[in-house]
């Protein structure tokens, strides 16, 4: 097998890792081990791997609150991710950020964000850095269809086009911003046309087929590296509710069934047509994620006093705990 | 030493920092070709070119957001928001993004940027161009906040701000740009600490930014009858209050003078700290003398009357020291 022919199988493996990982996140919640219930699963959106496969070491990205899959695709360690989601010291952010604020500077992840659209303009700055230092990196902002209604996106796209920055805006349209279907939030759903109006290269890709996403986003991603900013809409379906407590009462079982029929993993299996190889991958992934899950659950919680670290850089005195502060006030008064 | 202005001291700080470090960039509305709304960045575009002095569209959240991304990836951006009043546009990027990144990401990703802006009254710029919003910044852990009152601090505090590993909100005062003075070879106090601008034994007045000058005028008028110790806080977040508390314990009295509306203000925070930490030393309650709790009116007469001036500071100080009710308090 040539390297080129390995790539689709590799993309299937990454998609399977995302799917299984997200299932483990759900289990983490059910076991009572997750930090809270604000866990947003990207099941159904795995074909984003077709786009992330165009990214290279040194590239940077920001994600929204539904970004587990993107981070895994960019090389994250699932144990450290689950540990972070469980609020453990071994997590990527030492249990300070959690699912919605996971990041890793080394892997280029400049931060997941819990403000819709909040991380989008950061890639403009990363693009300025790339331009000024000629570091050859591109930067990608990942967000959902909900952020298509945020003004900051349009400010950022305008700046990217104006300054010809090596950046890509990637909208993973899973049809829902929380409980609001996109046809109830967008006057006109021609999202790539909005980006084109700003002067960006724009494309819509079918999120049911990872190979289509890979092929259809290639020109935009390569263009960005040459200083032509781009926009990609990946047309997908959010298989599950908004967060763990959401049972999706706002949509019909028929609609969900139709959405889940557009499953990028099933599509990839059909295309690859190699049951034995695919089943081997699935078994390996299950084993990997089971180990990650066990490692995360076994990881210790952070010591309480770590809460005062990293408000400012380490040379700045940490804030004083209230109890200690008041004790010293009262002691001095005596 | 030659005299310069607050404006030119700021410009020199930017120029010196940019000449030293090619990673320092400026970005904001009208910072390049126009030279800055108040002339602070005049000529810098010619010096350093359009890749480092970046004229932006009128997109304040985008400006701050882009500066954050540039800071995260290795540059040292100095972003400018023309008026601090536009903080209403940028508070998500400032308070949710810049301020919290280091913490949320477990210490891995700092945001070493400076947000230059200016505030305050004095130009009849009315309710949306005259505010003093420093309390919004002080209420946000993760942000640093500096407000220079003197020409020398305009230079040194801005240079220091550009060396910080965390985001600094740097609020200039629109009424001080033409202030003349000298840039001393060394800063008047280390970064983060207040400077004692006048020694005194009867009363401590804590202040910052333009109100320092009104306070010093009042202190001069009160002497020698009342000797006021004047403390310029300079850096408000995190606030190092050691020097202030030592002073209040010496004088037993504290007045806090600011231009911002009084309720929920920096002055309120300082009054609370003085009450907690100096309770047994206080002869009188700490008093806040701030701006009136109103939007800033445009009429020069109303605008002037809405914030403290030297005469009012003098009267309140005298009351605090002698407990004689002033004529207006009857």
């Amino acid at each position: 097998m040539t390297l080129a022919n390995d790539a689709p199988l590799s993309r299937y493996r990454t998609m399977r890792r995302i799917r299984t990982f997200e299932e483990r996140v759900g289990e983490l919640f059910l076991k009572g081990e997750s930090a809270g219930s604000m866990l947003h699963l990207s099941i159904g959106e795995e074909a984003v791997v077709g786009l992330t496969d165009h990214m290279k070491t040194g590239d940077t990205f920001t994600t929204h609150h539904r970004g587990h899959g993107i981070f895994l695709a960019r090389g994250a360690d699932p144990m450290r991710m689950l540990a972070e989601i469980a609020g453990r010291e071994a997590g990527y952010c030492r249990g300070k950020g959690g699912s919605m604020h996971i990041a890793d500077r080394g892997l280029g992840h400049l931060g997941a964000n819990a403000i819709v659209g909040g991380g989008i303009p950061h890639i403009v700055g990363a693009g300025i850095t790339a331009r000024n230092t000629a570091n050859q990196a591109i930067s990608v902002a990942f967000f959902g269809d909900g952020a298509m209604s945020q003004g900051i996106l349009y400010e950022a796209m305008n700046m990217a086009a104006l300054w010809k920055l090596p950046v890509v805006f990637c909208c993973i349209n899973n049809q829902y911003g929380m409980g609001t279907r996109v046809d109830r939030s967008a006057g006109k759903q021609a999202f790539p046309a909005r980006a084109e109006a700003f002067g960006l290269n724009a494309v819509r890709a079918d999120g049911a087929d990872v190979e289509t996403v890979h092929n259809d986003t290639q020109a935009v991603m390569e263009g960005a590296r040459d200083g032509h900013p781009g926009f990609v809409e990946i047309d997908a379906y959010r298989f599950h509710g908004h967060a763990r407590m959401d049972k999706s009462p706002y949509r019909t079982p028929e609609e969900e069934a139709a959405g889940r029929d557009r499953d990028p993993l099933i599509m990839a299996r059909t295309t690859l047509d190699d049951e034995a190889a695919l089943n081997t991958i699935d078994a390996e992934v299950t084993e990997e994620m089971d180990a990650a899950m066990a490692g995360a659950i076994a990881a210790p919680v952070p010591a309480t006093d770590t809460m005062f670290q990293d408000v400012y850089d380490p040379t700045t005195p940490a804030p004083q705990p209230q109890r200690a502060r008041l004790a010293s006030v009262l002691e001095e008064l005596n | 030493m030659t005299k310069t202005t607050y404006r030119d001291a700021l410009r020199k700080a930017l120029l010196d920092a940019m000449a030293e470090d090619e990673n320092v960039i400026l970005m904001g509305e009208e910072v390049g070709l126009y030279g800055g709304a108040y002339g602070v960045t005049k000529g810098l575009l010619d010096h350093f070119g359009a890749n480092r002095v970046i004229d932006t569209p009128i997109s304040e959240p985008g400006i701050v957001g882009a500066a954050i991304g540039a800071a995260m990836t290795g540059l040292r951006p100095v972003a400018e928001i023309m008026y601090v009043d536009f903080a209403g546009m940028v508070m998500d990027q400032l308070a949710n993004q810049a301020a919290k990144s280091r913490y949320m990401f477990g210490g891995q990703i700092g945001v070493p940027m400076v947000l230059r802006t200016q505030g305050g009254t004095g130009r009849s710029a009315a309710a949306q161009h005259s505010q003093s919003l420093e309390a919004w910044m002080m209420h946000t852990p993760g942000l640093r906040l500096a407000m220079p009152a003197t020409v020398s601090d305009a230079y040194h505090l801005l240079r220091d701000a550009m060396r910080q590993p965390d985001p600094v909100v740097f609020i200039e005062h629109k009424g001080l740009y033409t202030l003349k003075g000298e840039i001393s070879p060394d800063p008047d106090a280390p970064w983060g600490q207040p400077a004692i601008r006048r020694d005194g034994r009867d009363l401590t007045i804590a202040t910052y930014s333009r109100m320092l000058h009104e306070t010093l005028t009042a202190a001069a008028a009160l002497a020698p009858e009342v000797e006021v110790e004047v403390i310029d806080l300079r850096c408000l977040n995190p606030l190092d209050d050691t020097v202030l508390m030592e002073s209040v314990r010496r004088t037993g009295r504290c007045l806090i003078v600011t231009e911002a509306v009084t309720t929920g203000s920096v002055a309120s925070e300082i009054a609370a700290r003085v009450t907690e930490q100096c309770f047994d030393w206080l002869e009188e309650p700490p008093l806040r003398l701030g701006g009136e709790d109103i939007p800033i009116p445009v009429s020069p007469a109303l605008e002037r009357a809405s914030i403290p001036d030297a005469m009012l500071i003098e009267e309140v100080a005298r009351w605090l020291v002698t407990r004689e009710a002033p004529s207006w308090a009857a």
Side-chain angles (χ1 to χ4, degrees), chain A residues 113 129 155 316 325 332-333, chain B residues 62 73 97 144 249 276 280:
Chain A
N113 220 296
T129 301
E155 294 188 12
T316 302
R325 185 180 69 77
E332 279 198 52
L333 293 181
Chain B
T73 50
Q97 314 296 337
R144 291 176 179 280
R249 287 174 185 191
E276 281 185 350
D280 288 352

Side-chain angles (χ1 to χ4, degrees), chain B residues 13-202:
Chain B
L14 295 170
L15 194 130
D16 288 355
M18 293 185 81
E20 267 178 38
D21 181 357
E22 65 177 11
N23 285 324
V24 176
I25 61 166
L26 307 186
M27 55 190 305
E29 296 154 10
E30 311 293 356
V31 299
L33 198 57
Y34 194 98
Y38 284 92
V40 172
T41 53
K42 195 175 175 189
L44 296 180
L45 176 64
D46 290 338
H47 264 279
F48 300 107
N51 279 3
R52 293 186 63 198
V53 180
I54 304 170
D55 274 322
T56 67
I58 304 173
S59 304
E60 287 87 1
I63 293 165
V64 178
I68 291 168
M72 285 175 163
T73 50
L75 298 186
R76 280 209 158 260
V78 179
E80 180 179 320
I81 297 297
M82 204 183 285
Y83 287 78
V84 74
D85 310 70
F86 308 163
M89 300 288 298
V90 308
M91 279 313 273
D92 176 60
Q93 288 301 318
L94 200 53
N96 281 326
Q97 314 296 337
K100 294 177 174 61
S101 288
R102 179 185 294 281
Y103 190 83
M104 293 193 302
F105 306 150
Q108 328 166 47
I109 303 177
V111 181
M113 64 171 282
V114 176
L115 182 65
R116 270 190 59 239
T117 186
Q118 57 78 28
T121 58
R123 290 180 58 91
S124 279
Q128 296 173 346
H129 282 67
S130 304
Q131 296 171 87
S132 299
L133 299 178
E134 54 270 21
W136 295 12
M137 315 301 166
M138 196 186 196
H139 198 64
T140 307
L143 290 183
R144 291 176 179 280
L145 172 60
M147 296 184 69
T150 67
V151 171
S152 193
D153 265 359
Y155 180 81
H156 287 293
L157 282 181
L158 186 51
R159 288 304 305 271
D160 282 344
M162 285 188 271
R163 296 184 186 107
Q164 299 304 312
D166 294 305
V168 180
V169 179
F170 190 88
I171 308 179
E172 299 153 17
H173 196 293
K174 65 172 67 63
L176 292 179
Y177 284 121
T178 55
L179 178 73
K180 287 189 172 62
E182 290 170 355
I183 300 172
S184 57
D186 297 309
D188 296 334
W191 168 261
Q193 290 184 27
I196 298 178
R197 301 295 187 190
R198 184 188 174 102
D199 293 317
R201 60 176 187 280
D202 300 321

Side-chain angles (χ1 to χ4, degrees), chain B residues 248-299:
Chain B
V248 176
R249 287 174 185 191
R250 278 196 304 274
T251 63
R253 293 174 174 84
C254 183
L255 174 65
I256 307 114
V257 179
T258 75
E259 200 173 315
V261 294
T262 303
T263 298
S265 65
V266 171
S268 301
E269 168 64 21
I270 292 166
R273 290 192 189 204
V274 168
T275 308
E276 281 185 350
Q277 295 180 47
C278 302
F279 191 78
D280 288 352
W281 288 264
L282 287 171
E283 303 290 342
E284 302 289 343
L287 293 190
R288 298 166 298 155
L289 175 55
E292 304 296 346
D293 282 335
I294 56 172
I296 305 293
V298 73
S299 164

Side-chain angles (χ1 to χ4, degrees), chain A:
Chain A
M1 234 185 206
T2 66
L3 197 64
N5 289 339
D6 278 345
L9 207 57
S10 164
R11 282 192 274 278
Y12 173 80
R13 178 189 291 273
T14 307
M15 290 202 299
R16 175 58 69 191
R17 290 178 74 233
I18 294 170
R19 176 74 53 98
T20 308
F21 178 88
E22 296 287 44
E23 288 166 357
R24 293 294 181 277
V25 173
E27 289 167 27
L28 203 65
F29 168 70
L30 292 174
K31 284 176 193 287
E33 295 282 354
S34 66
S37 64
M38 288 208 185
L39 305 167
H40 309 89
L41 307 186
S42 60
I43 291 175
E45 305 171 22
E46 293 88 346
V48 71
V49 169
L51 182 142
T52 58
D53 258 19
H54 292 296
M55 293 174 71
K56 298 176 180 172
T57 303
D59 291 348
T60 57
F61 61 103
T62 62
T63 78
H64 53 341
H65 57 287
R66 201 176 299 282
H68 299 159
I70 297 154
F71 191 21
L72 266 180
R74 292 302 303 144
D77 171 354
M79 195 287 282
R80 289 189 65 199
M81 283 187 72
L82 286 167
E84 185 59 36
I85 292 164
R88 305 298 212 269
E89 172 76 25
Y92 271 101
C93 306
R94 304 178 63 204
K96 295 267 188 62
S99 168
M100 296 196 289
H101 305 301
I102 205 160
D104 185 71
R105 187 63 192 87
L107 293 171
H109 193 349
L110 301 180
N113 220 296
I115 305 295
V116 173
I120 292 173
H122 305 169
I123 69 163
V124 173
I128 293 171
T129 301
R131 181 191 69 187
N132 282 20
T133 65
N135 68 8
Q136 309 299 320
I138 62 168
S139 194
V140 184
F142 295 93
F143 49 91
D145 43 289
M148 292 303 301
S149 301
Q150 286 281 21
I152 190 78
L153 169 65
Y154 301 95
E155 294 188 12
M157 289 202 297
N158 181 49
M159 288 175 165
L162 180 66
W163 298 325
K164 299 180 172 52
L165 299 176
V167 301
V168 174
F169 300 86
C170 178
C171 173
I172 303 172
N173 182 352
N174 66 15
Q175 316 303 323
Y176 279 90
M178 204 167 162
T180 300
R181 200 168 58 197
V182 66
D183 60 2
R184 295 177 57 226
S185 69
K188 187 176 177 182
Q189 288 179 55
F191 294 156
R194 295 188 190 181
E196 279 166 359
F198 282 90
L200 273 63
N201 294 332
V203 68
R204 170 185 253 160
D206 179 4
D209 183 354
V210 69
E211 295 308 315
T212 300
V213 172
H214 189 69
N215 293 333
D216 290 358
T217 60
Q218 182 163 351
V220 167
M221 296 296 278
E222 286 174 0
R225 230 170 264 286
D226 293 333
H228 303 288
F231 175 94
V232 173
E233 178 188 2
I234 297 176
D235 187 25
Y237 191 76
R238 194 186 75 202
F239 282 20
H240 296 287
H242 167 65
R244 291 297 70 212
M245 305 303 277
D246 175 20
K247 307 286 182 242
S248 310
Y250 41 79
R251 61 189 192 186
T252 63
E254 292 75 25
E255 184 201 298
E256 288 194 345
R260 286 174 183 164
D261 275 347
R262 300 181 64 242
D263 186 333
L265 277 106
I266 292 174
M267 173 72 89
R269 287 187 76 97
T270 307
T271 311
L272 288 164
D273 193 24
D274 186 344
E275 279 298 298
L278 296 168
N279 289 344
T280 302
I281 288 173
D282 288 1
E284 288 168 358
V285 167
T286 300
E287 198 176 330
E288 179 197 9
M289 295 303 166
D290 284 348
M293 183 84 163
I297 290 172
V301 298
T304 311
D305 62 359
T306 63
M307 85 166 99
F308 298 104
Q309 295 172 3
D310 298 319
V311 180
Y312 297 96
D313 81 288
T315 64
T316 302
Q320 226 186 343
Q322 290 296 324
R323 198 171 182 281
R325 185 180 69 77
L326 292 176
S328 80
V329 163
L330 294 174
E331 204 167 292
E332 279 198 52
L333 293 181
N334 287 328

